[in-house]
């Protein structure tokens, strides 16, 4: 009986942590600090402004910028899986290679997690493709 109670408590904690992780996506702006893949240094891709995203729970859209152009896209979450739709209309400033790298990478994302420091990892399978830190309330 004691083991059963322990198992139930552990399951409740696991379910609660999944929901709280999902809730931490909302109410913050996330700024990109790492992106996998390009052979160009991160600061070379984004010399003036780092990409940012904000998750809107009500509209199920992610909004932000890809370093110089604004964008928005639909997203879906199921547990720790996540997918992003095609970005909507954006401004048309030339941004160098960083914009293309960002938009190409976000299409590959299929899961997310938070690390011990509270940073958001957007992943392709088990590989961290993009890492964000919180910046401010939207």
């Amino acid at each position: 009986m004691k083991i059963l109670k322990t198992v139930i408590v552990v399951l409740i904690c696991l379910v609660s942590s999944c929901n709280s992780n999902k809730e931490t996506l909302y109410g913050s702006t996330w700024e990109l600090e790492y992106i996998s893949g390009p052979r160009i240094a991160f600061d070379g891709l984004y010399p003036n402004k780092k990409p940012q995203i904000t998750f809107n729970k009500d509209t199920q859209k992610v909004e932000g910028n890809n370093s110089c152009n604004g964008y928005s896209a639909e997203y879906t979450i199921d547990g720790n899986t996540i997918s992003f739709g095609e970005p909507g209309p954006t401004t048309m400033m030339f941004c160098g290679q960083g914009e293309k790298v960002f938009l190409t990478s976000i299409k590959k994302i299929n899961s997310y997690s938070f690390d011990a420091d509270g940073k958001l990892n957007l992943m392709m399978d088990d590989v961290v493709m993009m890492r964000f830190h919180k910046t401010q309330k939207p």
Side-chain angles (χ1 to χ4, degrees):
M1 189 65 160
K2 194 173 189 176
I3 293 173
L4 180 59
K5 287 181 183 179
T6 303
V7 169
I8 290 172
V9 169
V10 169
L11 288 173
I12 289 171
C13 289
L14 287 173
V15 169
S16 297
S17 69
C18 288
N19 288 337
S20 65
N21 278 347
K22 190 174 175 181
E23 292 301 316
T24 60
L25 283 173
Y26 308 114
S28 298
T29 297
W30 297 91
E31 184 175 80
L32 186 68
E33 67 178 36
Y34 165 81
I35 192 162
S36 176
R39 294 179 183 238
I40 300 171
F42 182 79
D43 288 332
L45 282 173
Y46 309 109
N48 301 319
K49 186 176 182 182
K50 309 300 183 247
Q52 295 183 338
I53 60 173
T54 302
F55 290 84
N56 188 318
K57 186 177 183 178
D58 297 328
T59 63
Q60 291 294 289
K61 286 192 174 188
V62 64
E63 301 156 342
N65 70 69
N66 50 35
S67 75
C68 69
N69 286 309
Y71 74 94
S72 69
E74 293 182 351
Y75 69 92
T76 57
I77 293 178
D78 184 14
N80 283 346
T81 63
I82 189 168
S83 62
F84 295 92
E86 288 295 318
T90 67
T91 54
M92 299 299 288
M93 293 188 303
F94 176 72
C95 303
Q97 291 181 312
E99 177 179 38
K100 183 177 179 182
V101 170
F102 181 84
L103 294 174
T104 300
S105 295
I106 208 157
K107 290 179 187 176
K108 297 176 183 177
I109 301 303
N110 59 20
S111 65
Y112 74 98
S113 68
F114 296 94
D115 66 16
D117 296 324
K119 294 180 180 180
L120 171 63
N121 295 313
L122 296 182
M123 305 179 317
M124 182 176 67
D125 301 323
D126 292 331
V127 177
V128 175
M129 299 292 291
M130 307 169 93
R131 183 172 36 255
F132 295 81
H133 62 268
K134 285 185 182 181
T135 60
Q136 63 196 27
K137 296 278 184 191

